[in-house]
Amino acid sequence: MPAPRIKPPALLVAESGADREGHGLKRTMGLFQLVCFGIGAIVGTGIFVGLSDSVAQAGPAVVVSFLLAAITCVFTAFAFAELGGAIPVSGSSYSFAYAGLGEGTAFVVGWCLLLEYGVSVSAVAVGWSQYVNELLDSVVGLHLPTALSAGPGDGGVVNLPAVIVIALAAVLLVRGVRESARATAAMAVLKLAVLVAFVAIGFTAFEDGNLTPFSPTGLAGIGAGTTAAFFSYIGFDAITTAGEEAKNPRRDIPVAILVCIGLVTLLYCAVALAAIGAIGGDAVGGRPAALSYVVNQVTGSTVGGGVIAFGAVVAIASVVLAVMYGQTRILMSMSRDGLIPRVFEKVSPKTSTPVAGTLIVAGVFALPAAFAPLDAVVNLCTIGTLATMAVVNIAVIALRRREPDLARTFRVPLYPVTPLLGVGFCLYLMYETGATTWIQFAGFLLAGIALYLLYGRRNSRLAAVTPANAAEREPQAV
Ligand SMILES: NC(=[NH2+])NCCC[C@H](N)C(=O)O
């Protein structure tokens, strides 16, 4: 077997210019902004919409599901913290896999990131649509016809609001209206404030009795609920894509990741407890725009629900924007490496943004948003994300062996137990996504491997520089 084509961490960092002053991107983000960026990418459809699915699966024991999903994320967050601090570049898991396990794995990870970013844009947009409906309903009493606000799987024809939010995000990204640090911070604070207010209102109506029976579906229900809950935590890894824009990435990226996971876990468990404690698991389970419904029930008016719906619409739109931005950026790194066509790295001289890449991403992922049911896209996104996360845990182990002297500002505790547990939890949640998702995922993986062999491997820039084994080459600054 030929040795894998590895891109050494020093070369990755040198190419990105991450340790140089005056490289392409500006270093503007401090710890607070990194945390806001994380909250921006994490908190959205998963808690505002997905909560009712997890509750339908697990009942009040959904709190356990949220904790289990958080534990999976914590192990993996340690891995991202170690690699994000040691290799501060913007390719995230794709770059870590390139350094730790080689080009073929990196390509497949990049391919799976299309599920974590692209397909999740579709899923998040479908969730947005529910709250737009709720908002219109409570503010102007208008209810969009189902034919135009849901895909065929959910009893409609086309989900227009979902397509619209993707188109709007594409326009903003093409024009170069990147979220400014201030807008990111404002939206993050708004999201947190809305959820904290929800918890406060929910707890005023808390009744113990609503929590019993605590686990009506037993362990199987908790497992299924955990997979559903996991979606709401995805996005903490996106903090590592800011490696080239953080003021002090080596110190702040690991801290920001861990702060975000801690904050979000506390908040999600509190939201779940407040919702179920107020009106009971049966009333929450499977209900569209569930958080607004709970507040309307507790306050006996539609004003509170309208405010929650407004918060959700803003929160979820910001996730669409952040995640689509992340997707175009990952495709840019893969394109620069020669692994996918160059159209994705082309930056328009007029707007300084990757116009073609952004429009392709928006066009492709608007399709599932328009026609697919939410749970189908969520499951695919979840399994793809878990696969990349398992690889990142393995990359930690590979890099500790291959590059023992790499400067690491953060080290996963209890190595190698933690990354191994990380892999185990990821595999367990992948297993829980069910047979249909596995079959779709297997087809997707095969397509990715075929593309690598037919295109990526032959066009790789790394291979052009070092036909033999890149690992033997001294990294050079470019
Ligand atoms: N790569 C991502 N950040 N994907 C978006 C994840 C979805 C987000 N956790 C939500 O609940 O809406």
Side-chain angles (χ1 to χ4, degrees), residues 41-47 116-117 120 124 231-235 237-238 268 319 323:
I42 299 172
V43 179
T45 295
I47 190 71
E116 175 179 347
Y117 285 76
S120 81
V124 172
F231 183 79
S232 55
Y233 288 94
I234 302 175
D237 49 322
Y268 286 176
V319 178
V323 176

Side-chain angles (χ1 to χ4, degrees), residues 351-444:
T351 59
S352 315
T353 56
V355 174
T358 307
L359 295 181
I360 295 174
V361 166
V364 169
F365 295 107
L367 290 175
F371 302 115
L374 183 59
D375 39 342
V377 261
V378 164
N379 278 337
L380 256 183
C381 169
T382 298
I383 197 171
T385 306
L386 287 164
T388 65
M389 291 185 170
V391 172
V392 171
N393 279 298
I394 298 170
V396 166
I397 300 175
L399 275 165
R400 286 269 186 120
R401 297 173 150 212
R402 197 186 297 281
E403 302 267 349
D405 302 327
L406 183 66
R408 291 171 171 87
T409 46
F410 175 86
R411 293 173 159 262
V412 298
L414 299 178
Y415 174 88
V417 177
T418 311
L420 287 175
L421 280 174
V423 175
F425 269 94
C426 288
L427 292 179
Y428 166 66
L429 287 193
M430 284 173 81
Y431 161 77
E432 284 282 353
T433 57
T436 319
T437 310
W438 269 93
I439 293 169
Q440 291 165 339
F441 184 58
F444 183 85

Side-chain angles (χ1 to χ4, degrees), residues 193-206 267 270-271 274-275 278 295 298-299 308:
V194 167
L195 289 176
V196 169
F198 174 84
V199 172
I201 295 172
F203 274 121
T204 60
F206 189 87
L267 195 64
V271 168
V295 171
V298 172
T299 59
I308 300 280

Side-chain angles (χ1 to χ4, degrees), residues 254-319:
V255 179
I257 291 178
L258 299 175
V259 168
C260 279
I261 283 289
L263 208 66
V264 163
T265 305
L266 280 180
L267 195 64
Y268 286 176
C269 289
V271 168
L273 264 183
I276 299 173
I279 64 170
D282 291 341
V284 176
R287 177 158 325 257
L291 299 197
S292 288
Y293 178 80
V294 171
V295 171
N296 288 343
Q297 293 295 308
V298 172
T299 59
S301 115
T302 56
V303 177
V307 174
I308 300 280
F310 174 76
V313 165
V314 175
I316 301 176
S318 81
V319 178

